[in-house]
Amino acid sequence: MKSSAKSSGKGTHPPVDEVVVALTNGAKEDAHAVFGVLRTAFACDRAADDIPREVAERRPTVWIATYDASHMRRKPGPVKLDAPLTATLQGGYAAVDSMRKTLASVFTVRDIGTAFGDQEEEIQVRLESR
């Protein structure tokens, strides 16, 4: 049975429908494209005009956004990336699975690693243009 209970704020677990997405090892333009795909499909904590920026040119940059994967708003269309990038998805099992399937509908998704927890999981994937 799928639970849609939300966190009361007293515990340390995020709501089971939220997925935190961290993008690394890619260009800010590609990060913006991936976030746009996910924003088309799911509600996001960031505005559409919140464009990823480089913080320091010599250090790796991580771009992060949180999505509500409880229901898909619209199916995203095709998007091209200039180069592959790495995405880490963390959240409830069903939410992460829904997010991964959405990404796989637009990009080639290659699994890098998975960590399982009691209530949530974290997966790391490589996203590439089809």
Side-chain angles (χ1 to χ4, degrees):
M1 182 168 155
K2 180 180 170 190
S3 170
S4 62
K6 299 288 182 189
S7 173
S8 65
K10 295 180 181 181
T12 58
H13 297 288
V16 295
D17 293 330
E18 283 187 1
V19 177
V20 176
V21 178
L23 302 175
T24 58
N25 302 323
K28 63 183 177 184
E29 295 82 8
D30 288 334
H32 184 61
V34 172
F35 284 150
V37 163
L38 294 174
R39 190 178 296 106
T40 296
F42 306 105
C44 181
D45 69 337
R46 303 206 178 248
D49 62 352
D50 186 0
I51 298 172
R53 299 183 305 266
E54 293 285 345
V55 177
E57 292 185 24
R58 293 186 170 215
R59 296 186 192 147
T61 302
V62 178
W63 297 285
I64 298 174
T66 302
Y67 295 87
D68 178 354
S70 60
H71 70 279
M72 184 181 288
R73 299 187 312 184
R74 285 182 301 183
K75 183 176 174 153
V79 171
K80 286 279 191 197
L81 300 175
D82 290 331
L85 75 157
T86 303
T88 302
L89 314 175
Q90 181 182 13
Y93 285 93
V96 168
D97 186 53
S98 177
M99 183 81 49
R100 187 189 185 291
K101 286 178 182 174
T102 299
L103 289 169
S105 74
V106 178
F107 306 108
T108 297
V109 177
R110 300 187 191 286
D111 293 329
I112 297 172
T114 304
F116 301 102
D118 184 33
Q119 299 291 319
E120 60 184 40
E121 72 177 321
E122 178 179 295
I123 65 169
Q124 190 172 53
V125 296
R126 188 82 170 154
L127 303 177
E128 302 172 3
S129 289
R130 288 192 173 165

